[in-house]
Amino acid sequence: KDFTNWVYRSTSVKARANQTLKVFAGPDISQAEFMKACSDAARDARDADIAKRTASIDRQIRTIEDRIMREERELREDETELSHRKMEETGAHFENLTGIFSKGRTRRLSTSLSKRRLAEQAKADVEESRDTIDDLKRQMSELERRRQEVIVEVNEKWGRVASSSSEVTIVPKKADIFVNLFGVAWMPYYSIRTNEETIELSAFGSS
């Protein structure tokens, strides 16, 4: 029991530690091995941090990508509709020119104006789709810029964490000290007293 208490009070080990990453290295671990362990732990923590902090941005990006796809599909449909309306409008104008002095001119003029309105509406739909796509792409660029800023910030954060370390003193727990064998050794000496001093000589020498 006394020997266990002595070990507990007098024994300690110096170790390198990265408290944030929970990485520790005793005297048997080289500095290079310790730094590699810190880098590996920091990389895992960085990846998890990036995934967490960019999750919301990634959802927004996917939503905008879907909207852009829908708007581009609508734009193609609007452009097709505009092309048809222009052809109809051109045909109506031609009929007005060829039948300018014939009967039914008023009806043809009304038809021409109707074709014109439909063409103008189709053109407006095309412009609206293009404006919407441009706006969505601007939003996409802003989200991608924010995402990249988050990644840079997280990389710098965990880079600093990986390079920081300190020295800690580790002492044993009494529960971890086991005495498997104990004994007392006696090393005899001769004590020789002279007029001036007392000399101790080992009882078992090499000679």
Side-chain angles (χ1 to χ4, degrees):
K1 181 178 179 180
D2 290 341
F3 180 70
T4 299
N5 289 334
W6 176 81
V7 171
Y8 172 72
R9 291 192 305 270
S10 62
T11 304
S12 64
V13 173
K14 297 292 184 181
R16 291 181 296 275
N18 189 310
Q19 301 285 358
T20 304
L21 297 172
K22 306 300 181 186
V23 175
F24 303 89
D28 55 328
I29 303 298
S30 67
Q31 178 69 14
E33 291 173 318
F34 172 70
M35 293 306 299
K36 183 179 183 303
C38 290
S39 296
D40 292 342
R43 182 168 54 252
D44 293 340
R46 178 206 63 191
D47 292 345
D49 198 4
I50 288 175
K52 179 180 179 181
R53 296 184 59 181
T54 60
S56 176
I57 297 176
D58 289 340
R59 285 194 298 270
Q60 295 178 63
I61 288 175
R62 287 193 295 270
T63 298
I64 291 179
E65 286 176 341
D66 292 341
R67 290 187 60 190
I68 288 175
M69 290 178 62
R70 288 197 302 270
E71 288 294 335
E72 288 178 340
R73 184 167 58 250
E74 290 180 10
L75 175 60
R76 289 191 296 270
E77 294 172 355
D78 292 340
E79 288 174 337
T80 300
E81 178 71 13
L82 176 60
S83 177
H84 290 164
R85 295 302 181 187
K86 284 183 175 180
M87 291 175 62
E88 291 177 350
E89 183 184 11
T90 301
H93 286 329
F94 180 75
E95 288 180 359
N96 287 336
L97 291 174
T98 56
I100 190 169
F101 297 111
S102 63
K103 293 181 179 180
R105 179 173 178 274
T106 302
R107 183 177 60 81
R108 284 194 296 270
L109 182 60
S110 176
T111 301
S112 178
L113 291 174
S114 176
K115 298 295 185 183
R116 177 66 176 171
R117 285 195 300 271
L118 290 174
E120 289 293 335
Q121 181 60 49
K123 181 180 178 181
D125 291 341
V126 169
E127 292 175 351
E128 180 183 2
S129 293
R130 287 174 177 170
D131 290 342
T132 301
I133 290 172
D134 290 341
D135 183 60
L136 290 172
K137 287 183 176 180
R138 283 192 294 271
Q139 294 180 43
M140 175 78 76
S141 297
E142 175 63 20
L143 287 171
E144 289 174 345
R145 183 189 63 79
R146 284 169 50 194
R147 189 180 192 280
Q148 188 59 36
E149 287 178 351
V150 168
I151 291 174
V152 171
E153 179 184 341
V154 172
N155 278 328
E156 291 176 352
K157 168 189 171 183
W158 289 105
R160 292 190 299 269
V161 170
S163 61
S164 65
S165 63
S166 59
E167 188 176 76
V168 295
T169 301
I170 300 175
V171 297
K173 297 179 181 179
K174 280 190 176 182
D176 293 332
I177 301 173
F178 301 95
V179 180
N180 296 323
L181 183 64
F182 182 80
V184 177
W186 175 57
M187 298 181 64
Y189 282 83
Y190 292 115
S191 180
I192 301 173
R193 182 175 297 172
T194 64
N195 292 333
E196 298 179 355
E197 59 181 343
T198 299
I199 302 175
E200 291 185 349
L201 298 176
S202 174
F204 299 98
S206 59
S207 58

